[in-house]
Amino acid sequence: MDTVDVGPVDILMLRFPGNQFRGEIVPALRDLVVTGLIRVVDLMFVYRDEDGTVGSVELAGLGPELKPAFADLDGQLGGGMLDAEDVEEVAAGLPPGSSVAVLVVENTWAIPFVNAVRRAGGEVADQARIPAETAERALRDLGLGLG
């Protein structure tokens, strides 16, 4: 059975009310990349100003206040997966004065596991993602909370 070289890919949309993204998530993102758990395939910021004007910024276009926060990820980003059509789609539901970081990540941690499943004669039939908040609530309701 063939092995895989690419893990499942997720698209995350992280909303920042008030267009106030300051880069605090970057160290956590960097840790995930450095430990090999994920690979950042693409990253784009979509914003809607108070007057309704929509725009987007890719990593290369970050201002001097944010660019240093992403310096360690330089060269880790593939880029090119997100485009103007994605900007329009994300902006459609974005209230004025808000922004969204659209993050496309490959779950590289899954590659060896999927290959082991295939070597055992199995296959991934389907997969789904449950948001962390929903999972936490369900585990808590079952008395299995983490902490």
Side-chain angles (χ1 to χ4, degrees):
M1 191 162 265
D2 293 336
T3 59
V4 297
D5 297 321
V6 176
V9 173
D10 289 324
I11 300 173
L12 305 166
M13 293 194 295
L14 311 169
R15 187 173 322 170
F16 296 93
N19 285 336
Q20 293 300 313
F21 180 78
R22 294 180 301 272
E24 287 90 347
I25 67 169
V26 178
L29 181 61
R30 182 177 41 247
D31 288 347
L32 293 171
V33 170
V34 169
T35 58
L37 294 173
I38 67 166
R39 181 173 68 91
V40 179
V41 177
D42 207 349
L43 172 66
M44 177 173 50
F45 298 91
V46 178
Y47 60 88
R48 181 181 297 273
D49 287 337
E50 289 295 340
D51 67 3
T53 303
V54 171
S56 66
V57 179
E58 294 185 19
L59 187 60
L62 290 178
E65 68 281 355
L66 289 179
K67 186 77 169 168
F70 288 89
D72 289 348
L73 293 179
D74 199 21
Q76 298 288 328
L77 297 167
M81 183 172 260
L82 299 169
D83 59 21
E85 188 176 305
D86 297 306
V87 172
E88 289 179 28
E89 187 175 329
V90 170
L94 197 58
S98 295
S99 59
V100 171
V102 183
L103 184 62
V104 182
V105 297
E106 175 191 3
N107 293 288
T108 52
W109 62 266
I111 296 169
F113 179 72
V114 170
N115 285 331
V117 168
R118 286 183 170 200
R119 284 191 303 274
E123 64 182 338
V124 178
D126 197 2
Q127 71 182 59
R129 176 65 44 107
I130 300 172
E133 295 82 7
T134 304
E136 181 180 27
R137 189 171 38 254
L139 290 172
R140 190 175 42 247
D141 291 348
L142 292 170
L144 302 173
L146 305 171

